[in-house]
Amino acid sequence: MIAKISSGKSTAGLIRYLYGPGRANEHTDPHLVTSWDGYAPDPGRADDSTAARKQLIDDLDMRVKQADRLGRAPKQHVWHCSLRAAPGDRILEDGEWADIARRVVAATGITPADDPDGCRWIAVRHAPDHIHIAATKVRGDLRSARHWNDYLTADRELAAIEKEYGLQRVIRGDRTAAKRPHRAEQEKALRNGQAKAARERLRTVVRTAAAAATDTEEFLGLLTHSKGVLIEVLYFPSGEPRGYKVALENDRNAKAEPVWFSGSTLAPDLSLPKIQSRLAAAEVPVSAAEERLRPHPWHQATAATERIPHHLDQPDAEAAQAHLAAFGEALDAVALTAPPDIRTELRSAASAFERATRSRVRAEHHHARALRGAVKAMLREPAPKDGGALAMFLDAALLAVIAAARWHDRREHEQQVAAAHKSLLHLQAAYDRTAPGPLAGLSQRRPAEHVAHRYVRCIRQAAPAYADQTLNDPAAGALLTALADAEAAGHDPARVLQAVIDERALDDARSPARTLTWRVQRIAQRTAPSRQALAARARSTMPLAATPASVPTPAATLTEPTSNSRPRRR
């Protein structure tokens, strides 16, 4: 059950609407279900409806007129609350709606329980699934009603009512969602042949620019050069930008002026100061020599995405929220560079997950420096054309979204959980279209049988719980090829397998064979450290009592270079 609350200045206008035919003759049998004292006249049941309507308006306005003579009447003295049951709920009786109305006016402060000076109000029903509460906001002592945060208090009461009445539970937010388009905005978009309102389209443009930019100047420049978008930048006296507003070229008001939206009205995290804090948390650029030693940006982004479930399992909620925000930017970036056949799915996934990137938990963006830096590098270096890098990232992204849904669920962030689940459907569809090609290419290069048998033994030893499922999977041949590629690059296949399994459990993977293939392939595309480097590492970590002669030369092992040099916790 949901509440919609508004204020007005005409009691008569509201009563005429409630007892009238409606905007499209949708009002059927309008009648009173209860009132402040149970004796208010009901125009819907009276023989003379006109006289009853006038009497009802006078009764509701009596205290307003008294307060007005004292100069104490509020300008917006009408309080209007509509309560609507969810589709599929049972039809409530008039008596049940009356009880619900009394509870709502008490919870919101319009007429607190056992308060003889509470405001005057009525509840009108003119459809099976909803009622309207009309009240005047002047109490019996001629003071104005104390109804601050009435939407929140009503929503909390409705949550209890849903439980007690056995109604559907409405997914509730935490007031961090982006503002929805008004009805007029939606109708305007439909008249112009657009599926989304201007507000929503601009939100996508700004969010994508923020994901791509490395500093404020580039962010504003990207918006300036966005096709069909107007931008106006506001500056401090010092010349530093303090804000911005955007509009669509073809979105004009009645005076033919652009309809502007500031960043903060598009979404809470799109104000210029908040975007600047995210840009400042991107990875610090490295030297050209260091850059040559770094993995491909898509591999960096995949590695950082694979670590998101681990971050979400830690007690640091601010760090977890930062990784969710950075992951949202990664989805925006991937949608921007994806092949046309899956671009729509990825844009839908990014748009849906946008709601899961915000909550009441404040994000400490510096925690997600590696992922955010990799995202910006991704946009400057396209993914390889074979689709393997994209499939690799999407496989990691699926597990990250599942982990995000669980993280929000533990904190009862209902809207964010629903958003993550919706995003997961689009991501899965994109992955299912992307993965078959690269996997088929790997399977065609399946190693010789005697080599394959050796890798099968490695799989059974490294992942006994998943061995049968993995080896019976159609992607098993691709995994064997990935192991062969890793060995050809100088890695020990057994150590590679053990490392990628230890890196993260496979419980959430729909296909462990596919997930292992992508992880192993990412390692195989980098050269293993030299034997001299491995020997030096072994000497630096050996016990003091040991001597160099007693330390055997290790076999090639897996290394996972990242932008964060701290060792991964076991």
Side-chain angles (χ1 to χ4, degrees), residues 7 288 456:
S7 294
V456 167

Side-chain angles (χ1 to χ4, degrees), residues 3-5 79-81 83 100-113 119 121 133 135 137 139 144-158:
K4 184 178 180 180
I5 298 175
W79 187 84
H80 177 205
C81 174
L83 302 175
I100 291 170
R102 283 189 288 268
R103 291 176 62 169
V104 168
V105 294
T108 55
I110 293 297
T111 301
C119 298
W121 60 275
I133 303 173
K137 298 188 287 186
R139 293 167 41 83
S144 294
R146 300 170 63 90
H147 63 100
W148 294 292
N149 288 325
D150 49 10
Y151 175 79
L152 292 180
T153 52
D155 201 48
R156 282 195 291 267
E157 188 65 27
L158 290 178

Side-chain angles (χ1 to χ4, degrees), residues 254-296:
K255 298 180 180 179
E257 299 170 335
V259 179
W260 295 98
F261 297 88
S262 66
S264 59
T265 60
L266 293 176
D269 57 347
L270 293 183
S271 67
L272 186 60
K274 291 190 176 180
I275 287 176
Q276 287 173 322
S277 70
R278 285 155 53 187
L279 294 175
E283 198 166 42
V284 177
V286 298
S287 66
E290 292 174 313
E291 185 64 35
R292 286 194 294 270
L293 299 176
R294 292 161 66 90
H296 191 283

Side-chain angles (χ1 to χ4, degrees), residues 185-230:
E185 294 178 59
Q186 295 173 327
E187 292 176 349
K188 185 177 182 180
L190 291 176
R191 289 196 304 270
N192 294 332
Q194 299 292 337
K196 292 185 176 181
R199 180 191 302 274
E200 296 172 303
R201 293 158 61 195
L202 286 169
R203 185 184 304 137
T204 299
V205 171
V206 173
R207 201 175 63 234
T208 304
T214 56
D215 54 35
T216 303
E217 183 179 0
E218 185 178 7
F219 166 68
L220 297 175
L222 288 171
L223 290 180
T224 301
H225 293 95
S226 295
K227 185 178 180 181
V229 175
L230 304 175

Side-chain angles (χ1 to χ4, degrees), residues 538-562:
R539 287 195 297 272
S540 67
T541 57
M542 68 183 180
L544 293 177
T547 63
S550 65
V551 180
T553 301
T557 59
L558 169 69
T559 59
E560 181 66 49
T562 68

Side-chain angles (χ1 to χ4, degrees), residues 299 386-389 391-392 438-439 441-442 445 478-479 481-483 485-486 496 500 514-526:
H299 294 170
D386 65 357
M392 193 184 305
L439 289 171
L442 287 171
R445 297 192 293 108
L479 174 57
T481 302
L483 288 169
D485 291 344
V496 169
V500 297
R514 288 187 176 192
T515 298
L516 288 174
T517 297
W518 304 129
R519 294 180 188 174
V520 172
Q521 190 186 37
R522 179 161 50 83
I523 303 305
Q525 293 180 8
R526 292 197 301 274

Side-chain angles (χ1 to χ4, degrees), residues 32 75 118 123 159 164 225 292 300 341 348 385 402 411 423 427 430 434 458 466 469 474 524 531 540 552 562:
L32 208 67
K75 291 182 179 180
E164 294 174 27
H225 293 95
R292 286 194 294 270
Q300 293 179 55
D341 61 324
S348 298
K385 294 183 179 180
I402 292 171
R411 288 157 180 79
S423 178
L427 275 179
T434 305
C458 292
Y466 302 98
Q469 181 183 358
R531 297 177 69 86
S540 67
T562 68

